[in-house]
Structure formats: structure tokens, C-alpha cells
Amino acid sequence: MCGIVGYMGKREVFPILVKGLKRLEYRGYDSAGVAMIDQSMNLQIFKKKGKVVEMEATAGNYDPNSFLGIGHTRWATHGEPNDVNSHPHKSNSGNLAIIHNGIIENYGTIKAALSSKGFTFQSDTDTEVLINLIEDVKNNTEVSLFDAVRISLNQVVGAYAICVIDKNDPDTIVVAKKGSPLVIGVGEDEYFIASDASPFIEYTKRALYLEDEEVALLQRGENVVLKNIKNEIIRPYIQELALSLEAIEKGGYDYFMLKEIHEQPKSIQDTLRGRLLANEGTIQLGGFVEYEQTFLNAKRIIIVACGTSWHAGLVAEYLFEDLARIPVEVEYASEFRYRNPVINEGDIVIAISQSGETADTLSAIKLAKSKGATIFGVCNVVGSSIARFADAGAYTHAGPEIGVASTKAFTAQVAILSLIALSLGKKKGTINQAEFHQLITELDAIPSKIEQALNCNDKIIAISEMYKDATNCLYLGRGYSYPVALEGALKLKEISYIHAEGYPAAEMKHGPIALIDENMPIVIVATLNGHHEKVVSNIQEVKARKGQIIAIINEGDEEIKQIADHYIEVPQVDERFSPLITTIPLQLLSYHIALLRGCNVDQPRNLAKSVTVE
Ligand code: AGP
């Protein structure tokens, strides 16, 4: 996700844009830029890789007599973070400029059509394609900028929040929205545009939130004209905002972690967008396709990662072996790099890393590459060190994850790895067409199932109040729920500072059961298709020793409801995808217990978001 801002009115535009972009840097920070039109109808663009402050430093000679402009702080999805790919982008004529938050899925098709008409492109972005589509429509149909944007968006598949300006019309900004946020601040003879209200809340509290497929015309001295892309006039609803600045940045949530937990339906949707084509029954994973044969030829797959990303790798081990019958080893990167591992030419090494900067993981893949392995990266930060070092990769499109405790990145990693496992299984014939279609249909429905799972929040709060003072906690799971148990324990440890351990449920009798007494809460993940009867036995073993059971169960599991001290129901999904659902209550449990213990949920003690040291 990126941050967009715009302004038209009586104030000098540059300071407004820069200050607004700094407010939105939590949405993306790999490059920034502004475009302004001065009174002589010159279009000035300053843009640069890096933070807003670095772009600001390059704009020393901006024209203070500019009162209309747009700005962007980028979270790269298409095209590396660099000066050329940063926004704003100009059309071929140099007259139009655009900023964009979102993903144009069919940009390749549009780009090819425009290229055949002689359009050229400076960047690798989908956004530059869009502004040239708008220019093409405007030139060939001689319509207003407003209509050219609207007509163009009827050809677009994907998500967008855009601002478009024309240097020949310094009193107009056209904006449009679908799938990405855009709000207009309506001041006295001035308009503000932003991804959320934080850039303009100090100037006006009157806000117009665009709905999907709406296009707005903002003209100096005129009221907003609002249409949908079908050209139907819509009555603008301008509301009075009551939010504080800080609350807006966190989307109304108290902490970024809670916001990111609740973003997971969308972050999974964004990660699957354009890649899982359930209606067509296909998977199109760009960075993977050219290495698919390498994967198919591999005698084994080694996964290297740390922390939560290592847990995603463990889920992947179950998925790859279950669906594609390819041997997988999951290694802590820090151990792998020092134990003189056996690495063969044909090996594939998958590096999983949210930040793409974890030193141990980067060193592990450097070692693997030096011994001839092929490196595949699964990262969330475009252009990060691990992503750039890998031979190939697939980005999770989870958007910036600000909370130190990883949540939406974990589920996005599992989603990407599920796509790879499904693709390999289909290609190898280890899953038949019917199974493949059933599984991609199930995966496609995961965002809505996560939405349902989030409804357990109130029950989690009640349980958190009972166990917030625990000193130890065991997390148990079998099969696909075992990595979930490990991840749940890590979440509790790192933000509430309660000692917690994850274990395969069957392992309890090999030692940990000695820990169990009436003071020990046991969180057990018990899905109906996850060795259910064995897990019921484990619960009985715990109960016999007065342990307190908190069970994560599927809706309708009457058997465990009878025996658990507390239970949280989540929707049932295909067992292979159950980690995407069962992890949700465990994320919320750690969040609420940490909150009740007065811990700093977003910045837990001793931790950093990215561990770039060994
Ligand atoms: C997870 O909540 C922790 N913040 C930590 O374990 C993290 O997953 C680990 O440091 C790996 O980070 P990465 O995914 O950026 O490589």
C-alpha cells in the first residue's frame, strides 16, 4: 500500500504535500515524489528513491507560486524502488501526471496496446501505463480529463486510488478509487486529497470518502462533481470527522498490530490478486513460472528463515510434501549457515523474510548460492536485500507491517507458499484436476473465512482477562496445527513477555506434561480434520492433571466444547489451509493479554522489526 496526497487551493502547495506525505510514510516509504503546476502552467516533478525527507532535499528550486499538486510515498509492488519507478508518473506528452496506490492487474495487456500505438515507457510500473491510457483516451476522443479518467478506468482490472492533473488546466484535479482508500478534505475554497485524513485533519474535518468505482472532479471555486465509472451522477456525502490524528494513522485501531491483524482479509486478497484465478482454475505466479521446472527437478527444497517466517516455512514443509511430494527441510537460517550443511547443485533454497533484511537469512542464502543452489525469495519488502539477491521470488503484497510482532506477513507468506505447492502438485500430477480446483476455490475463499474468524475478538478478551497473569503457557497442535502452535507461542512470548512454548501435541507425554498443573493454561489447536480424536485424548491427559484448556476449534465441534475450559470457534476450511484461520485467534490472544499487562504491543522490549545484525 502507498500513501497519496493532493491539494488545490490558496496555500503554497509544496509544504502541504511534503507534510502530508510524512504523515503517510507508515503506508510505504521506499520512494517519494510530488508534481506541482505553477501559475505559468509549468509542471514540476520532484521524485526520488528513499524517504520523503530525501525527496524534499532535492526540491530546493520548487516554485512557491504553485497552488495545485499531488504527492506519493511508495510501497513498491511493480518495479524496484528507484528514482524512475517512483511516483508521480507523466504521460508521453508531458502534460498529464498521476499518482496511484493499488495494482493494475491487466497493465501488461494495456501496455502492449499502447506500445503498438507508439507510446513509450520510462519505468516498470503499472501506473505509467495507466496515465498513458488516460492520455490516449483524452487525445482520441477529445473528452475532458474527468471523462478520460472515467472511460479509461472501465478498461482497468485491479485496485486504484489515483490523482490525475493536467498542466494545461491548473485548476483541476481528477481522483478515482477502487479497492484502495481515498478521502477528499473539503475546506474553504480548497481541496485536500489523501489515503486517510491524517494529512488534512488540521485544516478541515469535512471529509468525503470515495466508494469503489467512483470518480470525482475537483475544480477551484466549484463544488465536487462525483460520478461512478458508468457515468452516473452521485450525490457527495460530506461528513464531519471526529478522529484524532494518531487514531487516523492507525486506522482507528489502538495499535498497528491490531490494525494489521484486521487487515488480513485484505492483505491475503492483495497477495492472491492476479495470481489465483479461481474462475479460470489457474495460478499465475510471475516470479515462479520461469523456475517451475527447476522446482520440479529439485531433489529437495530447503527453507531458511527466522522467527515467524520460519513458522511459515514449517507450514510450507507440510504443504509441499503433502501436495507435491517434494522432500523439504526447514532450517533456522542462523543454524544452517554455520553447520557446514550439505548443499547440492540441484537444491532449491527458499528464503522467507518479511523485511528481506534479516542478516542470518541473507547469509544463509549467500552460502547456499555459493554451493550452487537456486535461491527463491518470499519477501514483503520490494527491492530488499534478500529479494534482490535471490535468483527469483514472489512478493507478498501484505503492505508495510509496522507492528514488530508479525501477523499479516505470516499469513501472506503462507498464502504465497500455498500457491507454489498447488502449482507444483498440479504440474507433477500429485493432485488431480478436481482436487486442484477444489483447493484453489477453498484458497480463494480464505479472506472471507478470516473475516469470520476475527469475530472471536470479544471472547478472546474475556479469556485474556483470566490468563493475563499466567507465568507459563503451553501451545499444542498436530499436523498443520503444529506450526500454528509454535507461532502462537512466539506471539505471546514476544509481546506479553509470558514464557510460552509450542509443542507437537503428541510430544507432551515425552516431558512437558510434567509442567502441567492448575496454574498452566494450555492452548490447543484442534481442527476437525487435524487428527481430532488424538487431540481429544491429549486434552483429556491435560484435564487429568488439572491443566486449563483453551481450545481453538472448528464451528460445531460439540465434543471439545464439552471438555475444554474455554473454546474459540473458527470456520472450518480444508486442513491444508487451516493455519491461515487458526492463527487468527492466537494473534488476538497475544495482543489482548499484552494489552492487559500494559506492554507496548507495537514495540515490545528488546525487539526490532528487522534483525539486521547476527
Ligand atoms: C515475529 O513476530 C518476530 N518479529 C520475528 O520472529 C521475525 O519473524 C523474525 O525476526 C524474521 O524477520 P523477517 O521475516 O523480516 O526475516
Side-chain angles (χ1 to χ4, degrees), residues 38 273 392 402 473 527 540 612:
D38 64 23
R273 187 190 303 277
I402 309 299
C473 191
T527 51
Q540 301 291 18
T612 55

PDB file of all heavy atoms in Angstrom, residues 38 273 392 402 473 527 540 612:
ATOM      1  N   ASP A  38       2.469  25.311 -11.607  1.00  0.00           N
ATOM      2  CA  ASP A  38       2.542  26.701 -11.149  1.00  0.00           C
ATOM      3  C   ASP A  38       1.633  27.588 -12.008  1.00  0.00           C
ATOM      4  O   ASP A  38       1.000  27.115 -12.961  1.00  0.00           O
ATOM      5  CB  ASP A  38       3.999  27.203 -11.164  1.00  0.00           C
ATOM      6  CG  ASP A  38       4.561  27.240 -12.579  1.00  0.00           C
ATOM      7  OD1 ASP A  38       3.754  27.309 -13.539  1.00  0.00           O
ATOM      8  OD2 ASP A  38       5.789  27.149 -12.728  1.00  0.00           O
ATOM      9  N   ARG A 273      -4.277 -11.591  -5.406  1.00  0.00           N
ATOM     10  CA  ARG A 273      -4.836 -10.856  -6.558  1.00  0.00           C
ATOM     11  C   ARG A 273      -3.968 -11.027  -7.809  1.00  0.00           C
ATOM     12  O   ARG A 273      -2.743 -10.887  -7.754  1.00  0.00           O
ATOM     13  CB  ARG A 273      -4.890  -9.374  -6.213  1.00  0.00           C
ATOM     14  CG  ARG A 273      -5.597  -8.489  -7.229  1.00  0.00           C
ATOM     15  CD  ARG A 273      -5.365  -6.999  -6.908  1.00  0.00           C
ATOM     16  NE  ARG A 273      -5.815  -6.664  -5.563  1.00  0.00           N
ATOM     17  CZ  ARG A 273      -7.079  -6.387  -5.244  1.00  0.00           C
ATOM     18  NH1 ARG A 273      -8.005  -6.451  -6.174  1.00  0.00           N
ATOM     19  NH2 ARG A 273      -7.436  -6.078  -4.000  1.00  0.00           N
ATOM     20  N   ALA A 392      15.136 -15.692  -8.003  1.00  0.00           N
ATOM     21  CA  ALA A 392      13.731 -15.422  -8.344  1.00  0.00           C
ATOM     22  C   ALA A 392      12.971 -15.286  -7.035  1.00  0.00           C
ATOM     23  O   ALA A 392      13.523 -15.502  -5.959  1.00  0.00           O
ATOM     24  CB  ALA A 392      13.149 -16.566  -9.156  1.00  0.00           C
ATOM     25  N   ILE A 402       4.026  -2.669  10.369  1.00  0.00           N
ATOM     26  CA  ILE A 402       4.687  -1.761  11.307  1.00  0.00           C
ATOM     27  C   ILE A 402       4.877  -2.425  12.661  1.00  0.00           C
ATOM     28  O   ILE A 402       5.920  -2.311  13.290  1.00  0.00           O
ATOM     29  CB  ILE A 402       3.870  -0.453  11.462  1.00  0.00           C
ATOM     30  CG1 ILE A 402       3.543   0.147  10.095  1.00  0.00           C
ATOM     31  CG2 ILE A 402       4.609   0.537  12.353  1.00  0.00           C
ATOM     32  CD1 ILE A 402       4.729   0.528   9.258  1.00  0.00           C
ATOM     33  N   CYS A 473       2.918 -20.904  29.634  1.00  0.00           N
ATOM     34  CA  CYS A 473       1.805 -21.356  28.801  1.00  0.00           C
ATOM     35  C   CYS A 473       2.335 -22.356  27.781  1.00  0.00           C
ATOM     36  O   CYS A 473       3.439 -22.198  27.264  1.00  0.00           O
ATOM     37  CB  CYS A 473       1.190 -20.148  28.091  1.00  0.00           C
ATOM     38  SG  CYS A 473      -0.371 -20.514  27.298  1.00  0.00           S
ATOM     39  N   THR A 527      -8.444 -28.842  15.056  1.00  0.00           N
ATOM     40  CA  THR A 527      -9.389 -28.789  13.924  1.00  0.00           C
ATOM     41  C   THR A 527     -10.024 -30.170  13.721  1.00  0.00           C
ATOM     42  O   THR A 527      -9.430 -31.199  14.066  1.00  0.00           O
ATOM     43  CB  THR A 527      -8.641 -28.396  12.630  1.00  0.00           C
ATOM     44  OG1 THR A 527      -7.519 -29.268  12.507  1.00  0.00           O
ATOM     45  CG2 THR A 527      -8.165 -26.952  12.700  1.00  0.00           C
ATOM     46  N   GLN A 540      -7.732 -34.674  27.259  1.00  0.00           N
ATOM     47  CA  GLN A 540      -8.083 -35.463  28.450  1.00  0.00           C
ATOM     48  C   GLN A 540      -6.866 -35.623  29.371  1.00  0.00           C
ATOM     49  O   GLN A 540      -6.972 -35.514  30.592  1.00  0.00           O
ATOM     50  CB  GLN A 540      -8.599 -36.858  28.040  1.00  0.00           C
ATOM     51  CG  GLN A 540      -9.837 -36.846  27.142  1.00  0.00           C
ATOM     52  CD  GLN A 540     -11.094 -36.353  27.872  1.00  0.00           C
ATOM     53  OE1 GLN A 540     -10.980 -35.710  28.926  1.00  0.00           O
ATOM     54  NE2 GLN A 540     -12.246 -36.623  27.305  1.00  0.00           N
ATOM     55  N   THR A 612      18.841  -6.963  11.575  1.00  0.00           N
ATOM     56  CA  THR A 612      19.881  -6.890  10.525  1.00  0.00           C
ATOM     57  C   THR A 612      21.270  -7.143  11.111  1.00  0.00           C
ATOM     58  O   THR A 612      22.260  -6.918  10.445  1.00  0.00           O
ATOM     59  CB  THR A 612      19.840  -5.501   9.873  1.00  0.00           C
ATOM     60  OG1 THR A 612      19.973  -4.532  10.918  1.00  0.00           O
ATOM     61  CG2 THR A 612      18.539  -5.284   9.136  1.00  0.00           C
TER      62      THR A 612
END
